[in-house]
Amino acid sequence: MGNKSSIYLSAAESTVIILTVNLCYILATMFDDDIIGFRWKVTWLVANTAAIPATYFISRHTATRSLHIDKIVGNAFVAAGIHALFFFALLSFLNSWIHDRSFYLWFYTAMCILMPANLIFTRLIIKRIRRNGCNSSSVIIIGTGDTALRLRDEILADPGYGYTFKGFFSKYKRHDDIDTHDYIGTIDCLDAFLSATHIDEVYFTLSAEDHETLHRVVAIADACLTQVYVVPPISRYAGKVNALGTIGNVPFLCIRANPLKNIVNRAIKRSGDIIGAIIFLLISPIAFMTIATVIKLTSPGPVLFRQKRTGYLGKEFTCYKFRTMYINTQSNSTPTRRDDPRITPVGRILRRTSLDELPQFINVLRGDMSIVGPRPHMISQTDDYTKLIDRYMVRHLIKPGITGWAQINGYRGLTEELWKMERRVEHDVWYMENWSPMLDLKIITLTARNLLKRDNNVF
């Protein structure tokens, strides 16, 4: 989105890639004194030529104003891979291989470190520039309904997106929820306004079935060389638009994104789960034995607590935890509350440090859970919240996890108020719709960091 600002961002990031490739080459040649003469020049030329496809890969993603760091890093690694394929193909064609093959190791090690760092740094600089009012696109919104208000709120949410909101135009009259200073006038005033004011983009939020109004707006914008975007009136509860497809000449939108429907993505996530669970279970016997011994010595009952939870596609599974409560008959029906007398002294420590969750790596190895995903809830909670919260069951389209996006954003532990569970569900659905291996790595990293801090919601 955004013609002028996106062009500037694309140029900036493409320049960063070219400079990064040359910097990596310089760093790599520092470890090999034999790279001189013709071979040196050919390799330098090939390195710059090979940067072209990598530049294209990154720059074609710059139309998105808000790109998460994990996606930037992922794109940078893919760009490095494209560069390697092109680089080695040209070197083979020119028969210009360097005898000391450590050059290539140093070169791509430096690239995999510096390219993501430089691209993130570039994004942060451009975001700072945009927040100071530069490199932005002036926009107006046609319509004053809920879709128009949501779009305005997103535009104003972060000046770093690079938008300058100028106001609303309505078809007939101002909507009651529109502030007077945000309202410019009806569409009858649009021609005069665009002629007198520089506007980069027009967002049409009225029904696309209103062909007459849409044609009128497009004709006025075209005469003023202004780009028009049509915003479909999709409910905020519909989820993220995944893709635009067509049946013949009729376009349609998929509104339930789920990258884990892709078999390759599922294989990547499952492979990471298996490797992570095996590594953890191999290095944790001492911790398991110590915790089990303390539990057994301080309260009667089994070491492990087994409870039926709602899992993938709504199926029940047995979730394992270290037992943190005295034996009672309410474990499967009554959620834990603050200062719960059922919790043992040792159990309170295990809960606050999340050590009671460690046996769930067994669930991960068995395939019931993933390391990262929505937290599994008790069967009774699923029955209750399904009736109270929209999209609650959507979170079960992927496997539950030991940690998740909602947990690192503060929605873990007790949810004594309905709005907290609603926010947890929103975060779980967002995770499902935006999954990537880098996002999982980010969540695991932030979870490890958060374990060092005290969370008042966990007890």
Side-chain angles (χ1 to χ4, degrees):
M1 295 168 61
N3 43 23
K4 179 179 67 177
S5 299
S6 294
I7 290 173
Y8 292 155
L9 179 56
S10 177
E13 294 192 338
S14 298
T15 303
V16 166
I17 293 174
I18 298 293
L19 292 176
T20 301
V21 169
N22 282 276
L23 177 59
C24 292
Y25 177 74
I26 292 172
L27 291 174
T29 56
M30 292 173 60
F31 297 91
D32 192 340
D33 295 332
D34 295 330
I35 305 176
I36 58 176
F38 177 74
R39 186 181 298 276
W40 188 94
K41 294 176 182 178
V42 170
T43 308
W44 180 85
L45 176 63
V46 171
N48 279 276
T49 306
I52 295 174
T55 299
Y56 168 75
F57 177 83
I58 291 293
S59 63
R60 72 190 180 95
H61 290 80
T62 58
T64 303
R65 299 296 185 94
S66 57
L67 194 60
H68 292 275
I69 288 178
D70 56 287
K71 292 184 178 180
I72 295 177
V73 173
N75 289 344
F77 281 131
V78 174
I82 294 173
H83 182 282
L85 291 174
F86 199 76
F87 190 12
F88 292 140
L90 281 178
L91 283 176
S92 179
F93 177 76
L94 296 171
N95 194 23
S96 185
W97 296 97
I98 297 172
H99 294 296
D100 185 0
R101 299 302 170 88
S102 64
F103 164 80
Y104 305 112
L105 175 62
W106 286 110
F107 182 83
Y108 284 105
T109 299
M111 184 181 290
C112 288
I113 295 173
L114 292 180
M115 188 177 290
N118 287 342
L119 287 173
I120 292 172
F121 184 64
T122 302
R123 282 269 173 166
L124 294 176
I125 290 177
I126 292 176
K127 203 165 187 177
R128 175 67 63 86
I129 292 173
R130 285 174 172 172
R131 284 175 174 167
N132 290 330
C134 302
N135 185 230
S136 62
S137 297
S138 299
V139 304
I140 58 173
I141 298 176
I142 307 299
T144 56
D146 291 340
T147 301
L149 292 173
R150 287 170 53 203
L151 178 60
R152 187 272 314 271
D153 292 342
E154 291 294 334
I155 288 174
L156 298 179
D158 187 352
Y161 290 164
Y163 292 112
T164 302
F165 175 66
K166 295 298 185 180
F168 294 99
F169 281 86
S170 64
K171 185 175 181 180
Y172 299 117
K173 63 179 182 178
R174 178 171 65 90
H175 194 280
D176 292 338
D177 293 334
I178 301 297
D179 294 334
T180 303
H181 69 275
D182 284 338
Y183 182 71
I184 300 174
T186 64
I187 296 176
D188 294 331
C189 309
L190 181 62
D191 194 357
F193 179 82
L194 290 181
S195 299
T197 308
H198 174 73
I199 296 295
D200 295 299
E201 302 168 12
V202 175
Y203 289 88
F204 187 89
T205 65
L206 301 175
S207 172
E209 294 292 327
D210 190 350
H211 303 295
E212 182 180 348
T213 304
L214 178 58
H215 179 268
R216 183 182 177 188
V217 169
V218 171
I220 294 173
D222 285 347
C224 298
L225 303 178
T226 303
Q227 180 67 50
V228 177
Y229 296 94
V230 176
V231 182
I234 299 175
S235 168
R236 67 173 70 243
Y237 301 108
K240 174 186 175 183
V241 174
N242 183 31
L244 175 65
T246 59
I247 299 178
N249 292 321
V250 179
F252 65 87
L253 298 175
C254 176
I255 60 174
R256 181 64 67 214
N258 186 355
L260 289 173
K261 281 187 175 181
N262 184 291
I263 189 171
V264 175
N265 289 340
R266 289 204 305 273
I268 292 173
K269 187 170 177 63
R270 181 59 184 153
S271 298
D273 286 339
I274 293 174
I275 294 172
I278 290 176
I279 292 175
F280 180 82
L281 292 174
L282 286 176
I283 65 176
S284 60
I286 295 178
F288 271 65
M289 292 175 61
T290 303
I291 295 173
T293 301
V294 173
I295 292 174
K296 201 68 178 176
L297 292 176
T298 55
S299 63
V303 170
L304 291 181
F305 173 66
R306 298 171 174 84
Q307 186 178 60
K308 292 293 183 181
R309 300 279 180 106
T310 307
Y312 179 55
L313 297 180
K315 298 177 182 177
E316 296 181 7
F317 74 99
T318 301
C319 182
Y320 298 112
K321 296 178 65 175
F322 281 122
R323 182 175 57 82
T324 59
M325 291 185 176
Y326 297 106
I327 300 299
N328 65 90
T329 59
Q330 299 177 317
S331 298
N332 294 318
S333 59
T334 304
T336 310
R337 56 186 183 275
R338 200 177 300 276
D339 299 323
D340 198 317
R342 296 176 297 170
I343 301 177
T344 66
V346 171
R348 201 168 299 279
I349 297 174
L350 294 177
R351 284 174 170 271
R352 287 177 177 173
T353 56
S354 296
L355 292 175
D356 62 318
E357 312 283 356
L358 296 185
Q360 287 171 24
F361 280 96
I362 300 174
N363 288 115
V364 173
L365 199 58
R366 292 180 55 177
D368 299 324
M369 295 177 63
S370 177
I371 294 177
V372 180
R375 287 294 298 153
H377 292 160
M378 294 189 303
I379 305 301
S380 60
Q381 287 182 305
T382 299
D383 294 338
D384 293 337
Y385 286 128
T386 300
K387 303 172 185 176
L388 298 173
I389 300 176
D390 291 332
R391 298 196 298 169
Y392 179 81
M393 287 304 295
V394 174
R395 68 196 298 274
H396 299 104
L397 289 175
I398 57 176
K399 289 182 181 180
I402 297 176
T403 185
W405 183 244
Q407 280 63 46
I408 66 169
N409 282 282
Y411 297 98
R412 61 187 296 239
L414 182 64
T415 53
E416 71 277 13
E417 298 178 72
L418 185 62
W419 70 267
K420 292 184 178 180
M421 182 58 75
E422 290 175 337
R423 292 293 291 161
R424 178 185 289 186
V425 171
E426 288 178 12
H427 281 77
D428 290 338
V429 174
W430 184 93
Y431 167 77
M432 181 197 75
E433 295 176 337
N434 293 273
W435 176 88
S436 70
M438 292 302 300
L439 179 59
D440 275 0
L441 183 60
K442 175 181 179 179
I443 292 172
I444 292 171
T445 302
L446 292 177
T447 298
R449 185 195 69 178
N450 290 345
L451 289 176
L452 302 177
K453 300 188 299 184
R454 174 69 182 272
D455 191 337
N456 292 327
N457 286 329
V458 180
F459 42 83

